[in-house]
Amino acid sequence: MMDLTAIRAATAGLSTGRVFLDSAGSSLPPRVVTDTVIDHLRREAEIGGYRAANERFDDLAAVKTSIATLIGATPDTIALSDSATRSWTDFAYSVPLRPGDRILISEADYASNAIAAMQRAAHTGAVVEHIPSDATGRIDTDAFAAMLDERVRLVSLQHAPTNGGLVNPVAEITRLAHEVGALVLLDACQSIGQLPIDVSALGVDALSATGRKWLRGPRGTGFLYLRGELARSMEPARLDLHSAQWVGPREYRLAEDASRFEFWECDVAARLGLGAAVDYLLALGPDQAYAAVAERARYLRATLPELPGLTVRDLGTEHSGIVSFTIEGHDPVQLRDHLAEHDVTVTVSHASSTLLDMTARGVAAVVRASPHYFISPDELDRFVAALGELVGRG
Ligand SMILES: *Cc1c(COP(=O)(O)O)cnc(C)c1O
């Protein structure tokens, strides 16, 4: 069992009395993460950034080892970056595309991914097509299989989308995509830190993730995983003197591993903070953490529908820790602001973030509550009670 009292004591943001239900947006870090970042910034101010980084050389290398441990990979397949979108685009802009090539994106795809895919298509003569969802809201595997041919070069999958509790059948879709030689890029922003991820079981070619959400890391952190063979063979769209080496007047050589997708300059303090966040989760026991998130989300999905006019909007058959809902006659933004006045933090996910899915469902916005394992049962009840008061069930 997880020691909730100890976990809560280790998180500064939980002593405020506010109920924090936005780990899908930007979570509350454990103290060790904040301390790691601040300590390093202080050290940079004392001895300069270069010497300060040199002092933490081994710890910086260990950040990749920790991430690799969490997702069942090896450190040489991890490229650190400053955001999930940076990592996603680093990969997507490096896939060679020719006129007539096809990029498939799913209905739940995140706006940044879709926009980048459209731009890539416009520049190369490729086309972007949309993979339909089935009646439950998951990717329709039969429809997907029927779309495939050898012109499909890149498939963008959402492990768990930003706007609700859906979890997609990634391994199955990936297996089908590989039958025609397409590359599969998985957006794991909303799954890393709250759902088990084993890259060899999922089989994906690349995976992008962010630090600040369920991993509880600092803002401005993210990473890209590349399947080992790709980490050694794929040419990134952009290079610098870290991703490649200038070995002759007209010659450069790419780094041997996934670091070919990194630039030299980075926020060292934030990176160390990301490492501290992943280590914190590993020490806690990821499986217990994931189970605790699922339990809290399940509780909300069971309890919220008791409120008049409330509809839980989560799609799919198995669910992530994101609980999305609307309440008849209430604007989601106003609900969020009212809840903030009651010291409850939730967010709103607008159609513009996941346009295909929200348009298909005719939903303009949903309220998003994302309880992490550190949320107490009492806080969940305070949230439901505050909402009940607002919608007239006191
Ligand atoms: C938040 C989010 C992103 C973007 O992550 P950044 O770190 O802000 O780039 C991408 N995809 C999904 C599903 C997200 O929820």
Side-chain angles (χ1 to χ4, degrees), residues 83-86 110 113 158 160-162 187 189-190 210 212-213:
S83 82
T85 303
R86 181 83 58 195
Y110 190 66
N113 306 351
Q158 299 292 126
T162 205
D187 180 337
C189 262
Q190 293 296 358
T210 189
R212 72 175 185 278
K213 297 179 180 175

Side-chain angles (χ1 to χ4, degrees), residues 214-355:
W214 299 92
L215 278 180
R216 308 180 64 196
R219 295 203 62 173
T221 58
F223 71 88
L224 177 68
Y225 152 83
L226 293 134
R227 191 162 47 77
E229 187 192 314
L230 280 178
R232 290 185 294 274
S233 65
M234 192 166 178
E235 167 125 23
R238 285 177 306 237
L239 296 173
D240 79 341
L241 50 55
H242 169 88
S243 43
Q245 210 187 335
W246 198 7
V247 292
R250 296 175 191 284
E251 197 186 343
Y252 64 85
R253 191 179 304 138
L254 294 175
E256 303 270 316
D257 62 14
S259 63
R260 60 176 58 192
F261 279 88
E262 292 173 345
F263 273 0
W264 183 84
E265 177 56 358
C266 68
D267 184 338
V268 174
R271 260 182 203 184
L272 290 168
L274 175 64
V278 177
D279 289 342
Y280 183 86
L281 176 60
L282 290 171
L284 205 61
D287 290 336
Q288 294 191 68
Y290 305 154
V293 172
E295 189 189 334
R296 283 153 180 74
R298 233 183 350 255
Y299 178 78
L300 288 183
R301 276 188 208 103
T303 313
L304 287 172
E306 290 167 13
L307 299 177
L310 189 145
T311 307
V312 172
R313 295 287 182 175
D314 299 330
L315 300 173
T317 49
E318 52 176 318
H319 290 127
S320 78
I322 297 179
V323 180
S324 62
F325 62 89
T326 53
I327 303 182
E328 218 181 305
H330 291 268
D331 172 36
V333 170
Q334 272 174 10
L335 284 171
R336 178 198 65 196
D337 294 345
H338 280 298
L339 284 168
E341 284 163 22
H342 286 71
D343 285 338
V344 177
T345 303
V346 298
T347 44
V348 173
S349 194
H350 295 276
S352 54
S353 292
T354 44
L355 193 77

Side-chain angles (χ1 to χ4, degrees), residues 42-119:
R42 291 231 158 84
R43 193 62 182 148
E44 287 183 340
E46 280 166 16
I47 62 168
Y50 285 8
R51 274 187 64 191
N54 283 341
E55 284 181 350
R56 304 299 301 271
F57 186 83
D58 292 340
D59 299 321
L60 278 164
V63 177
K64 291 191 195 181
T65 310
S66 299
I67 292 170
T69 302
L70 186 66
I71 65 170
T74 51
D76 58 317
T77 61
I78 307 295
L80 300 174
S81 78
D82 57 5
S83 82
T85 303
R86 181 83 58 195
S87 293
W88 195 96
T89 51
D90 279 346
F91 185 85
Y93 281 73
S94 302
V95 175
L97 292 173
R98 288 183 309 192
D101 281 347
R102 302 164 68 204
I103 304 170
L104 306 189
I105 68 173
S106 56
E107 286 234 300
D109 242 274
Y110 190 66
S112 297
N113 306 351
I115 290 166
M118 287 188 280
Q119 190 196 30

